[in-house]
Amino acid sequence: MTRLKYRYLRSLDTKAWEDLADTMIPEATATYSEYLQFESREAFVAFLRNTLGPRVITEHRCDHPEIDITADDAATGTWLLADTVLIPEHNLLMRGAAYYTDRYVRCDDGKWRISHTGYERTYEVVLSLSDLPSLRVTSVRWGIIAHEDGVTSIQRNPRTTSGFRESDSA
């Protein structure tokens, strides 16, 4: 379960949407506060892809796993989340913490997958990057670099280490 959760987080932060989808069963549900509820893996991944796309930088860390095996093919988990979201285009930095509650099932292929995930925030703070005039984003996997005169996109394949091409400011 620990490896599964870490794969979920890595896939989320690296925007590897197919890998993220593979951490869940098709019928997986997700609940984030009373406002965000999803009844399928497809709906949940589509939401994440649309809201956390390449212009949003994220870091999700989970620690303190409390995992209970409830049957040969079922388990539950509680995790402490610490996350950072950076949106250079909107001069926004968000930090927060929450507790995830997950349910897991062992699938026919023998792999464990998430059947439900969600968290409740313990806190969340939002900062304007305008309040931090010395802060600069100098490198990001998806090729968005903040300069004093705006945000620049760099076209590249995140799975390679070459092939950078700067495009017009966004």
Side-chain angles (χ1 to χ4, degrees), residues 28-43:
T29 57
T31 305
Y32 294 90
S33 74
E34 66 271 14
Y35 305 110
L36 292 174
Q37 298 181 6
F38 304 93
E39 298 301 320
S40 72
R41 171 182 71 190
E42 182 179 342

Side-chain angles (χ1 to χ4, degrees), residues 77-147:
T78 300
W79 300 82
L80 169 63
L81 166 70
D83 61 336
T84 303
V85 177
L86 180 62
I87 309 173
E89 285 182 296
H90 298 290
N91 282 336
L92 181 93
L93 172 69
M94 189 277 302
R95 290 274 303 146
Y99 281 94
Y100 265 103
T101 55
D102 294 341
R103 289 190 305 269
Y104 311 101
V105 295
R106 188 188 321 255
C107 297
D108 290 340
D109 63 3
K111 293 182 180 179
W112 287 94
R113 289 192 174 82
I114 298 165
S115 62
H116 175 81
T117 191
Y119 62 65
E120 283 195 38
R121 284 271 183 212
T122 55
Y123 83 92
E124 180 178 286
V125 295
V126 178
L127 298 167
S128 169
L129 298 180
S130 300
D131 296 339
L132 306 168
S134 65
L135 181 70
R136 299 283 183 265
V137 178
T138 58
S139 177
V140 67
R141 181 180 183 138
W142 300 274
I144 301 168
I145 306 297
H147 298 285

Side-chain angles (χ1 to χ4, degrees), residues 55-70:
R55 294 190 175 273
V56 178
I57 303 161
T58 61
E59 175 189 25
H60 293 82
R61 293 175 181 256
C62 279
D63 286 308
H64 311 304
E66 299 173 50
I67 298 168
D68 293 308
I69 305 297
T70 57

